[in-house]
Amino acid sequence: MRQLIRRWLLASLLPYAIYLVAFVFESRVPGRDAPVLKDQSLAFLPGDFGLALFVAAPDVLTVRPSRIRQVAGVLLGLIAFIVVRRVTYSPTDYSPRAWRSPSKIYHDVVICGVFGYLVVVRCLPFYFGTPLSKNRLHKLIGAAGLASWFAGVVWDELHDVVPNDRQHPSDWKPIWM
């Protein structure tokens, strides 16, 4: 269980490093300029903690990715990135500058590319390729994490939370400028 918690915390660093990206590349201070709770997507916070738990739950000793699965993971990540960037948002959701903001690009690369890759390489074989009785607790914990992320996505869609200008603003500059 300790290893699972460690993997979960490490996987959580990926999406939440967006605050570091926002600070360094957009001069935005978390909580003041970059939303943490207020004006934030529930799919992001706390949802991405759940998504990180879903990808961290597979025991690395039980999942050995094949070359084909690795290529499929890269392709799924790329396809997910393209779909999110071209299909799920309309051109009026963000200004062109906000659309190209470092935090928006970072978020889409991590969630679509990195997590999409991990879903194919680690999650699919772990959750569907092994009997339920093997690592049952990890599978249930991971499924609960995925459910919490999905609940955040549904909430955001039903309440029109995403997008807003505080999440990915049009006015940004790196801290060195």
Side-chain angles (χ1 to χ4, degrees), residues 16-27 102-104 106:
Y16 296 118
I18 195 171
Y19 288 111
L20 181 62
V21 169
F23 178 72
V24 173
F25 295 101
E26 298 174 353
S27 300
S103 60
K104 178 65 180 143
Y106 177 83

Side-chain angles (χ1 to χ4, degrees), residues 40-121:
Q40 190 52 268
S41 157
L42 287 181
F44 175 69
L45 187 69
D48 283 354
F49 274 123
L51 194 57
L53 188 57
F54 178 71
V55 300
D59 185 359
V60 291
L61 298 176
T62 62
V63 179
R64 299 270 187 238
S66 66
R67 180 80 62 202
I68 292 172
R69 193 174 293 129
Q70 289 176 336
V71 170
V74 169
L75 288 176
L76 175 71
L78 183 61
I79 290 167
F81 180 79
I82 291 168
V83 167
V84 163
R85 298 285 291 181
R86 295 202 174 155
V87 176
T88 60
Y89 294 106
S90 73
T92 59
D93 286 340
Y94 290 102
S95 72
R97 184 154 164 80
W99 188 246
R100 292 187 304 270
S101 70
S103 60
K104 178 65 180 143
I105 293 170
Y106 177 83
H107 175 266
D108 293 348
V109 166
V110 167
I111 297 303
C112 300
V114 176
F115 279 33
Y117 172 82
L118 291 173
V119 163
V120 172
V121 171

